[in-house]
Amino acid sequence: MLCIVHRSHSEQLCYKLANMKNRPETAMMSYGYKPFLSEGAVKCPIFMTSTFVFKTAEEGKDFFSMAYGREPSQAREMGLIYSRINNPDIEILEERLKLWDDGEEAAAFSSGMSAISTTLMSFLKPGDCILYSNPLYGGTHSYIHFFLAEWGIESIAFDAADDAASIRENIGDKGSRLKMILVETPANPTNDLIDIRLCADIAASYSTAEKTVLLAVDNTYMGPLWSHPLKHGAHIVLYSATKYIGGHSDVIAGVAVASKPVMAQIKMARTFFGTIIDPHTSWLLLRSLETLKIRMEAAASNAKHVAQWLQQHPLVEKVYYLGFNETALNKRQYSSSGAMVSFDVKGGEAQAFAFLNALQHIRLAVSLGGTESLAEHPFTMTHAGVPVDEKNRLGLTEKMIRLSIGIEHHEDIIRDISNALDAIPVKK
Ligand SMILES: *Cc1c(COP(=O)(O)O)cnc(C)c1O
């Protein structure tokens, strides 16, 4: 142990160092992996196998008992059974994922949507109600309105601007049927904030001895580095790992993090639905996690330059960036301003499209959180399914551009944006 400190403090500091857990960015390179189970390989191999050999029939019987939540005949650790239930790459990935949010357990899925749909189906039954923050990711919004509605699950929405009293008013007499609250914060693409603590209080106030109203937060935009919803009272954190966690725009995956009892129910549903991630994608995500922190920090630092530059441009009407949000809520919930920047150009769709079509380096594509910068038009693309009056109410208009800032040199990103803004035809 290394202790280079003044004598009077040394004992205390050595004690602290010895007892301190590795930080997540340190743990990402090795945590949960035992090299000598894999011929001493420094990195976890990809276990491309559908099924696993049991040493004895008794062992197989016990593994299955445990998979069904029953006690094994003798004390043993759960073992590997079948890759729709468990697999070494998936288990190591889940061990590492839970560290960022300091959660009890994580589950990895084949996509963000499978994490969200499996989690919601784990707890909602016909007749139940779900309360959600507006706007949600388009896929989630459609899932709630077109799929869950068909199963007799009702939904109630609220906006970032709503306070506790108006949310309660929206819930009205449906409180006894309220089973879940799903929140996405910061809201996409406006970066409006939802108070997680306030939602946790609402969830608690509608909980009874018979039912706990669960609060789930889709933390894709700011996690797992800059926001930790479990610390603010959420029960479940959800991710599209396609975004920052994967980080290279080359995989589709999802994650849920929760307490052991909540996760037991989610994992049971995942086994039945078959929405688990595969070993190869897990391995790619293990690789991504090693650079998660430096990637996200580089993107956030670039985003700050871009947002500040946009703020002073004569053709830019408004910039939507967390760094310009001075509220106590922003400070409490987030440790960074993130890497998502939206802005309104002066004009409307024609001006926004002229800008997008003139970009040379930044790709015109939906999605976010990758190493490369992307630009898109929320009104006609990611939020095409949101009714126009709702879009207008949320401040999501035809003149808005959404940028996902990557890890390029910030001056190159700004030069591209600057040239594209110059290409907008000036109205005569
Ligand atoms: C992309 C995204 C999803 C869906 O994730 P997939 O991996 O595409 O299935 C869900 N929520 C948010 C906030 C997203 O950005």
Side-chain angles (χ1 to χ4, degrees):
M1 198 194 315
L2 193 64
C3 301
I4 317 166
V5 284
H6 191 270
R7 171 90 22 103
S8 60
H9 296 296
S10 65
E11 246 173 64
Q12 210 184 347
L13 193 72
C14 286
Y15 172 80
K16 266 198 207 149
L17 283 173
N19 285 280
M20 209 161 69
K21 276 196 296 187
N22 275 335
R23 291 166 180 82
E25 63 268 32
T26 308
M28 286 309 110
M29 277 57 101
S30 58
Y31 187 78
Y33 171 63
K34 300 191 182 95
F36 291 105
L37 291 178
S38 297
E39 309 277 9
V42 162
K43 289 295 162 183
C44 181
I46 311 178
F47 287 85
M48 290 300 274
T49 184
S50 57
T51 192
F52 296 87
V53 177
F54 304 132
K55 291 195 184 94
T56 61
E58 288 76 11
E59 188 187 70
K61 179 183 172 184
D62 278 351
F63 289 173
F64 268 93
S65 293
M66 286 187 272
Y68 280 94
R70 296 192 297 262
E71 286 297 310
S73 63
Q74 62 178 86
R76 44 170 133 224
E77 260 187 69
M78 176 62 175
L80 296 161
I81 298 178
Y82 182 75
S83 290
R84 183 166 40 73
I85 299 168
N86 53 15
N87 173 288
D89 296 288
I90 300 173
E91 288 193 339
I92 294 165
L93 173 68
E94 291 174 343
E95 284 296 305
R96 291 185 192 173
L97 283 167
K98 75 180 188 193
L99 298 178
W100 295 94
D101 281 297
D102 203 13
E104 276 180 20
E105 266 198 59
F109 293 84
S110 56
S111 69
M113 280 313 300
S114 61
I116 294 165
S117 57
T118 304
T119 299
L120 265 47
M121 282 297 260
S122 302
F123 300 103
L124 295 171
K125 289 182 194 62
D128 287 346
C129 264
I130 179 168
L131 173 75
Y132 70 88
S133 65
N134 222 357
L136 283 179
Y137 176 72
T140 313
H141 189 269
S142 300
Y143 170 67
I144 289 174
H145 284 274
F146 300 125
F147 187 85
L148 290 185
E150 293 272 299
W151 285 77
I153 295 158
E154 213 177 320
S155 62
I156 310 161
F158 69 98
D159 293 351
D162 290 345
D163 59 10
S166 49
I167 296 173
R168 283 176 188 285
E169 210 177 289
N170 289 2
I171 297 170
D173 59 4
K174 294 171 188 149
S176 62
R177 293 191 287 123
L178 183 67
K179 194 67 218 296
M180 276 191 103
I181 303 178
L182 176 64
V183 165
E184 212 177 290
T185 177
N188 166 16
T190 54
N191 277 335
D192 287 327
L193 299 184
I194 310 283
D195 188 334
I196 298 171
R197 175 58 61 193
L198 180 143
C199 294
D201 289 345
I202 290 175
S205 73
Y206 286 95
S207 295
T208 61
E210 286 79 44
K211 64 147 196 195
T212 303
V213 178
L214 292 172
L215 172 61
V217 176
D218 182 332
N219 200 31
T220 300
Y221 248 54
M222 291 296 277
L225 203 64
W226 303 318
S227 167
H228 301 109
L230 298 177
K231 291 195 168 60
H232 302 283
H235 301 96
I236 304 164
V237 187
L238 298 164
Y239 292 102
S240 166
T242 310
K243 314 296 164 56
Y244 289 104
I245 294 174
H248 296 71
S249 306
D250 53 9
V251 297
I252 298 281
V255 178
V257 185
S259 66
K260 280 182 198 295
V262 169
M263 192 51 82
Q265 225 168 308
I266 296 174
K267 281 192 173 169
M268 187 67 89
R270 183 183 66 171
T271 296
F272 294 143
F273 293 153
T275 44
I276 198 166
I277 196 170
D278 66 277
H280 181 246
T281 307
S282 298
W283 184 88
L284 286 167
L285 290 183
L286 287 173
R287 208 169 205 264
S288 289
L289 282 176
E290 297 191 13
T291 55
L292 179 75
K293 187 167 184 241
I294 58 170
R295 279 189 285 110
M296 289 183 79
E297 283 176 349
S301 154
N302 280 347
K304 190 174 181 183
H305 286 287
V306 171
Q308 283 170 348
W309 184 88
L310 284 169
Q311 185 83 322
Q312 51 75 46
H313 197 283
L315 292 181
V316 173
E317 206 169 85
K318 185 173 177 189
V319 182
Y320 305 79
Y321 171 61
L322 269 195
F324 300 149
N325 176 330
E326 298 282 333
T327 60
L329 173 60
N330 185 15
K331 290 198 180 71
R332 184 168 81 236
Q333 246 166 229
Y334 306 103
S335 60
S336 161
S337 299
M340 295 300 294
V341 181
S342 298
F343 65 98
D344 293 339
V345 289
K346 287 203 174 126
E349 185 184 284
Q351 286 69 25
F353 278 18
F355 169 83
L356 289 169
N357 289 332
L359 289 168
Q360 295 291 314
H361 164 75
I362 301 174
R363 304 279 186 204
L364 169 52
V366 300
S367 198
L368 59 110
T371 44
E372 73 287 291
S373 296
L374 298 176
E376 65 114 4
H377 189 244
F379 196 91
T380 58
M381 296 171 192
T382 44
H383 295 71
V386 180
V388 173
D389 59 335
E390 206 169 303
K391 281 194 271 216
N392 288 332
R393 198 184 69 230
L394 299 166
L396 200 173
T397 60
E398 279 136 313
K399 57 191 168 185
M400 183 187 267
I401 304 283
R402 188 188 80 179
L403 299 172
S404 167
I405 302 298
I407 65 168
E408 308 92 335
H409 196 291
H410 64 89
E411 286 171 4
D412 295 333
I413 302 171
I414 289 171
R415 181 161 26 85
D416 198 27
I417 295 172
S418 177
N419 290 340
L421 283 169
D422 288 346
I424 298 177
V426 185
K427 263 195 261 176
K428 298 248 162 57

